[in-house]
Amino acid sequence: MSLTTKARYAALRETILDVMERQIGTSGLSGLGMRSIAKTVGCSPGMIYKIGVDQDGLILMVNARTLDAIGARLRNAVTAADRPQVAMRNMALAYVDYAQEQTPRWDALFSHRMADERPVPTWYARKRDAMFQDLAAVVARAVEDASIQQRGEFSRMLFSAVHGVVTLGLQQKIGRVSPAKLRQQVRDLVDVMAAGLSHLSRPEATAPQSS
Amino acid sequence: MSLTTKARYAALRETILDVMERQIGTSGLSGLGMRSIAKTVGCSPGMIYKIGVDQDGLILMVNARTLDAIGARLRNAVTAADRPQVAMRNMALAYVDYAQEQTPRWDALFSHRMADERPVPTWYARKRDAMFQDLAAVVARAVEDASIQQRGEFSRMLFSAVHGVVTLGLQQKIGRVSPAKLRQQVRDLVDVMAAGLSHLSRPEATAPQSS
């Protein structure tokens, strides 16, 4: 492949990603296909296959931009001065805000399934895991005695729990929830979890009894 | 409509629900349509429309059976002797087990969207809310001072948080999670939330500070 052709394909790929990002931002993954992408970009479907990335790969690239956007929001929500609970709460509220403002784009992160249940590529898994490192840094301040592994587990626990409230809330799945009410639910959840984490991580705390 | 016709339509409806329940139990909502249902039942698509329930209505009826099954599992997971934390944990684990054993059926509860974003009918909302009453009764034992409204909110919070962990875990969305690991994550989450709830609900507890 000549350098000019390589540059031309790279430019086409960027154009395609921009177009897909807009489409996903408006209507999520529904209706997204190589044919419709080619049509919007204004090239032949055959041309898209020449850039060397399949549809899953393209969607992951757009989803990676979404991860970057969410990561930036979470980082911006926290200042060094925040007490750990407040920092966790602010990160969670930033996540709710993003999901409410960019619902189709946010939804595409979670509704995308790799063809043939292949695992996501390493570059994508790394980017996703990087988001949890920011969260883990904040969790670490709340549970000072926790090991690095525990911090990772707590940050995934916190994220998953908040994600559950946001998902069921935005889909109105367990009753009607207004945007303000959803924010309140997330604040309450983070307060309960922060209290539980700090209580359980104190050395003198009674360990939860087994059944 | 004569009585015989009425009885015939009612019998057809039951047959359709049984067929749909099996289809949803195998492959979820994907590929489900009036045409495919008619084909499997062995009647004409026109015949299905005569029973007076549209596709959303039929799916809700199957999902209601799923709600019944989950509700029964949650009730069976709890004995009066369980301490509140243990009861909450056992309910959460029963929920994980159901989602793992009946993934397509469980998924259908959450992936179904009403046409034109209509709200779900009252009979369905009532059945769904009844499930939270069982959970609220258990939560009530953990937070004795909570008002009835708070109990309802706490039980929805607990459910949503557990649901978030189960959803992201089963979809392997934030990393690979084995079935045993998923159960452990849910246990840990319930322990943290139970500790947080009981800590925050104690009169002498420091209220979480506002930012």
Side-chain angles (χ1 to χ4, degrees):
Chain A
M1 197 188 287
S2 75
L3 266 177
T4 341
T5 313
K6 225 172 165 176
R8 205 154 52 89
Y9 286 171
L12 175 62
R13 197 172 81 176
E14 285 310 299
T15 310
I16 290 171
L17 288 177
D18 293 342
V19 164
M20 284 177 70
E21 191 173 7
R22 278 199 296 280
Q23 280 197 354
I24 291 175
T26 310
S27 44
L29 295 180
S30 67
L32 199 74
M34 290 307 228
R35 208 169 279 273
S36 84
I37 296 165
K39 204 175 160 189
T40 324
V41 177
C43 69
S44 69
M47 190 65 206
I48 288 197
Y49 287 101
K50 291 203 175 154
I51 59 171
V53 193
D54 63 6
Q55 182 170 316
D56 273 343
L58 289 170
I59 290 174
L60 286 178
M61 285 174 184
V62 175
N63 280 350
R65 293 182 178 185
T66 303
L67 284 176
D68 283 338
I70 292 177
R73 293 270 195 123
L74 298 193
R75 271 192 303 282
N76 288 340
V78 171
T79 68
D82 286 342
R83 283 176 312 105
Q85 255 131 302
V86 177
M88 282 194 238
R89 198 200 282 163
N90 288 345
M91 285 179 114
L93 290 175
Y95 184 73
V96 183
D97 289 345
Y98 186 87
Q100 283 184 329
E101 288 164 28
Q102 300 281 349
T103 305
R105 209 175 143 165
W106 163 80
D107 184 64
L109 273 186
F110 299 99
S111 56
H112 175 238
R113 300 279 176 284
M114 298 289 286
D116 308 320
E117 300 188 23
R118 278 177 300 154
V120 293
T122 315
W123 72 266
Y124 183 84
R126 279 213 192 105
K127 186 174 275 288
R128 178 197 64 200
D129 294 347
M131 207 186 76
F132 288 105
Q133 279 158 18
D134 292 334
L135 201 48
V138 166
V139 168
R141 287 160 49 200
V143 284
E144 290 177 346
D145 294 330
S147 66
I148 289 181
Q149 202 204 334
Q150 280 177 319
R151 290 168 192 181
E153 276 163 22
F154 288 152
S155 59
R156 281 175 153 72
M157 176 198 284
L158 185 66
F159 177 83
S160 302
V162 168
H163 178 76
V165 171
V166 174
T167 303
L168 296 180
L170 286 182
Q171 295 172 355
Q172 313 282 345
K173 263 295 171 188
I174 55 174
R176 298 243 145 233
V177 180
S178 70
K181 174 80 185 171
L182 183 55
R183 292 189 108 241
Q184 187 58 50
Q185 287 178 343
V186 166
R187 291 171 70 98
D188 290 345
L189 171 67
V190 175
D191 288 346
V192 166
M193 289 187 70
L197 280 176
S198 81
H199 185 69
L200 287 180
S201 71
R202 249 180 277 141
E204 75 274 21
T206 315
Q209 286 149 276
S210 292
S211 49
Chain B
M1 199 188 286
S2 75
L3 265 180
T4 341
T5 313
K6 224 173 168 174
R8 207 153 51 89
Y9 287 171
L12 175 61
R13 197 173 81 175
E14 284 310 299
T15 309
I16 291 170
L17 288 177
D18 293 341
V19 165
M20 285 177 69
E21 190 173 10
R22 276 198 297 278
Q23 281 198 352
I24 290 175
T26 310
S27 44
L29 296 180
S30 67
L32 199 76
M34 291 307 229
R35 208 171 280 271
S36 84
I37 297 165
K39 205 176 159 188
T40 322
V41 177
C43 69
S44 69
M47 191 64 207
I48 289 198
Y49 288 100
K50 291 201 174 154
I51 59 171
V53 192
D54 64 7
Q55 182 171 315
D56 273 343
L58 288 170
I59 291 174
L60 287 178
M61 284 174 186
V62 175
N63 281 350
R65 292 182 178 186
T66 304
L67 284 176
D68 283 338
I70 293 177
R73 293 269 195 122
L74 298 193
R75 269 191 304 281
N76 288 341
V78 172
T79 68
D82 287 340
R83 284 178 309 109
Q85 256 129 305
V86 177
M88 279 193 237
R89 198 201 280 164
N90 289 345
M91 286 179 112
L93 290 175
Y95 183 72
V96 183
D97 289 344
Y98 186 87
Q100 283 186 330
E101 288 163 28
Q102 302 280 348
T103 306
R105 208 174 144 168
W106 163 78
D107 184 64
L109 272 185
F110 299 99
S111 55
H112 175 238
R113 302 276 177 283
M114 298 289 287
D116 309 319
E117 300 186 22
R118 276 178 301 154
V120 293
T122 314
W123 71 266
Y124 183 83
R126 276 212 193 108
K127 184 173 277 287
R128 179 195 64 202
D129 294 347
M131 208 186 74
F132 288 104
Q133 279 159 17
D134 292 334
L135 200 48
V138 166
V139 168
R141 287 160 48 201
V143 284
E144 290 178 344
D145 293 333
S147 66
I148 288 181
Q149 201 204 335
Q150 280 175 320
R151 290 169 191 181
E153 276 163 21
F154 287 152
S155 59
R156 280 175 154 71
M157 175 197 286
L158 186 66
F159 177 84
S160 302
V162 168
H163 178 76
V165 171
V166 174
T167 303
L168 296 181
L170 286 182
Q171 295 173 353
Q172 312 283 345
K173 264 296 172 188
I174 56 175
R176 298 241 147 236
V177 180
S178 70
K181 175 79 185 170
L182 182 56
R183 293 189 107 238
Q184 188 57 50
Q185 287 179 343
V186 165
R187 288 172 72 97
D188 291 345
L189 171 68
V190 174
D191 287 346
V192 166
M193 290 187 69
L197 280 175
S198 82
H199 184 69
L200 288 179
S201 72
R202 250 182 275 139
E204 75 273 22
T206 317
Q209 286 150 275
S210 291
S211 50

